[in-house]
Every structure is written in structure tokens, then in C-alpha cells.
Amino acid sequence: MADKVSITPRVFLARHGQTEWTKSGRYTGTTEINLTDVGRQQVLGTSRVVVGTGNLIDPAKLGQVFMSPRNRAQQTFDLLFGEAQAKALTVDNKVKTVNELAEWDYGAYEGLLTSEILARRRGQGLDQWNIWEDGCENGEYEGASS
């Protein structure tokens, strides 16, 4: 049974570490924000536990890595796998940067807090905001994102 489990295809999702905007609660989509020191430590801590030979994510057994084109995603990949392993995966053509994995385009709401978005909408005569129903002014709305 263990052999079957080890060959079963799996998908792992990793979110980038902390940025200044995730720390402050600002909506971050297309803006290039780097990881904070805390964000880098978060990724390195995850890497030590999850990535490596015999660990949950064994780089030698990866078939493909897909990542967002955002700097924070690229930094997370590099930290998660370490310089040598990230380079080896790239050289082996196992890494693909995919635009469709980029975060939501918040348009005019990019970099704002929820309270700022609600105040802006109130000024436009709109009293609520549900991202899935209302979308983002000059940005994406549910059904339009990749």
C-alpha cells in the first residue's frame, strides 16, 4: 500500500510569505511587493519541515512546478527550495511561470484597506462591497479572472 501512495500524483499549493501589504491588510494583486524579513523566515521555516529528500515535498519526485509571475511568488519558490534545488528544477524544465496564477487585479482598490474601499464606495452611493458580487472598480470581477 505504501508504494501506491508514493506514486499517487499529488498537488501542493504554497502561498507566498508575508509582505508589508499582507501584514497591514492591504489588497495586493498586481503590485510587486517583496517579502518582509518575517515572510522570508516563514518560507524558510516551512521549507525545513516540508521540503527535502524523504519529506512531503521531495524535489527529486516533482513532475512540475507552476508559479505566479509576481516577485513574491518567485522569492517564495527560491526560498522554499533553496538556491541549488531551485536552479536544478529550472534547468530540468520543471518550473513554469504562469500568468494565469497571478493574483486578482484589484484595480482602483489595489493597496487599499477594506475600510478605505467601503468609504470610497459610500462616496459613490454604494453601501456595501462583496468582491464576488461587485468585483473591483477598474479591476477584475468574479467570472473574469483567470
Side-chain angles (χ1 to χ4, degrees):
M1 182 68 165
D3 289 339
K4 281 189 176 185
V5 173
S6 68
I7 61 169
T8 301
R10 295 187 244 176
V11 174
F12 302 100
L13 299 175
R15 187 175 192 280
H16 62 78
Q18 181 192 72
T19 68
E20 284 300 327
W21 282 11
T22 58
K23 178 181 174 182
S24 65
R26 297 188 180 281
Y27 287 87
T28 314
T30 59
T31 302
E32 292 292 5
I33 306 282
N34 291 326
L35 300 179
T36 62
D37 288 339
V38 168
R40 286 186 286 280
Q41 290 306 311
Q42 289 170 332
V43 177
L44 289 170
T46 299
S47 177
R48 283 190 292 273
V49 174
V50 175
V51 178
T53 304
N55 287 349
L56 181 63
I57 300 176
D58 185 337
K61 295 181 181 180
L62 287 176
Q64 196 70 61
V65 175
F66 299 100
M67 82 178 109
S68 162
R70 299 290 174 251
N71 287 344
R72 55 194 173 270
Q74 304 281 330
Q75 291 171 334
T76 298
F77 168 76
D78 290 339
L79 290 168
L80 197 60
F81 289 98
E83 185 178 340
Q85 193 60 57
K87 184 176 181 178
L89 288 167
T90 303
V91 167
D92 290 344
N93 291 316
K94 291 186 174 186
V95 179
K96 288 190 178 22
T97 300
V98 181
N99 288 331
E100 290 82 4
L101 292 176
E103 292 185 54
W104 186 277
D105 180 356
Y106 289 102
Y109 301 159
E110 182 82 4
L112 299 181
L113 299 168
T114 301
S115 60
E116 294 170 326
I117 295 168
L118 293 173
R120 178 186 183 120
R121 290 179 60 82
R122 277 192 297 279
Q124 299 169 334
L126 304 167
D127 58 344
Q128 294 185 39
W129 180 53
N130 179 316
I131 193 168
W132 306 114
E133 294 175 7
D134 304 317
C136 298
E137 182 182 336
N138 299 320
E140 290 184 80
Y141 56 91
E142 197 274 324
S145 84
S146 347

